[in-house]
Amino acid sequence: ENIDSRRPIFNLTSETKNGYAIIRVDIEDDGLSKISKISLSNGAVNRRDEETGEIDKEFTVSKNSKYIVSVEDEAGNISKKDIKIADIQRSISANIENKTAYSIVTVNITDDGISKINEISLSNGEKHESDANGNINKVFNIGKGGEYKVTMLDVDDNICETSVVIPDITRKIKIVA
């Protein structure tokens, strides 16, 4: 009778997309037993499908962090490796519509990020948080024109910024995200 005591051997790779990253697990050797599950330190778990015998070897993450990947076979042998994701970036742009006494600034999220928006702030210190769906439709009151930095923070603490120039006639801007 063979007792499998060999731990699975695997490699990790990652690919950063626009606003998220994909961690891929490449199984080199599963020993005498099939892989039963692959888990990520953020709580995500991929289990082997009983019907097809296949297991998803990819995880999508939206936060820059160090992740520990655990691979377990049917005999209970476990191997772990870590991978650092550090280059997830979000993207925004801003469009300005000038009115007589104010300007409307529309902030557009221009990436495929999977994290909801947490807040948008201006360089003057004023900020607004999103609703439960990650939407913001608030008015920032600005007393004078000038260049303002618009900063977006998502729920995974990814930050992105853009600048807008508000003409001197501006008294307030409306942020729609």
Side-chain angles (χ1 to χ4, degrees), residues 13-24 58-64 84-91 109-115 154 158-160:
T13 58
S14 67
E15 179 183 1
T16 302
K17 300 286 190 173
N18 195 6
Y20 64 96
I22 298 171
I23 298 172
R24 290 187 178 91
E58 291 186 355
F59 293 92
T60 301
V61 297
S62 57
K63 183 175 185 168
N64 288 315
K84 184 172 176 116
I85 304 295
D87 52 359
I88 296 174
Q89 297 179 3
R90 301 292 307 263
S91 302
I109 309 304
T110 56
D111 62 39
D112 301 322
I114 56 177
S115 294
D154 70 17
N158 296 310
I159 296 173
C160 60

Side-chain angles (χ1 to χ4, degrees), residues 36-111:
S36 62
K37 71 178 179 179
I38 303 172
S39 57
L40 198 59
S41 55
N42 70 355
V45 177
N46 293 340
R47 297 185 188 283
R48 186 169 56 86
D49 184 290
E50 293 300 323
E51 288 183 22
T52 66
E54 297 293 318
I55 188 166
D56 186 1
K57 298 180 183 99
E58 291 186 355
F59 293 92
T60 301
V61 297
S62 57
K63 183 175 185 168
N64 288 315
S65 183
K66 180 174 109 175
Y67 295 92
I68 299 170
V69 177
S70 299
V71 176
E72 183 175 348
D73 67 18
E74 290 179 332
N77 300 308
I78 300 173
S79 292
K80 295 182 180 185
K81 287 188 178 181
D82 62 72
I83 188 167
K84 184 172 176 116
I85 304 295
D87 52 359
I88 296 174
Q89 297 179 3
R90 301 292 307 263
S91 302
I92 60 172
S93 66
N95 302 321
I96 301 173
E97 180 184 345
N98 293 313
K99 302 289 186 179
T100 304
Y102 62 94
S103 294
I104 297 173
V105 176
T106 303
V107 177
N108 302 302
I109 309 304
T110 56
D111 62 39

Side-chain angles (χ1 to χ4, degrees), residues 23-41:
I23 298 172
R24 290 187 178 91
V25 181
D26 178 31
I27 307 294
E28 285 189 16
D29 183 3
D30 58 5
L32 300 173
S33 302
K34 294 179 182 176
I35 301 300
S36 62
K37 71 178 179 179
I38 303 172
S39 57
L40 198 59
S41 55

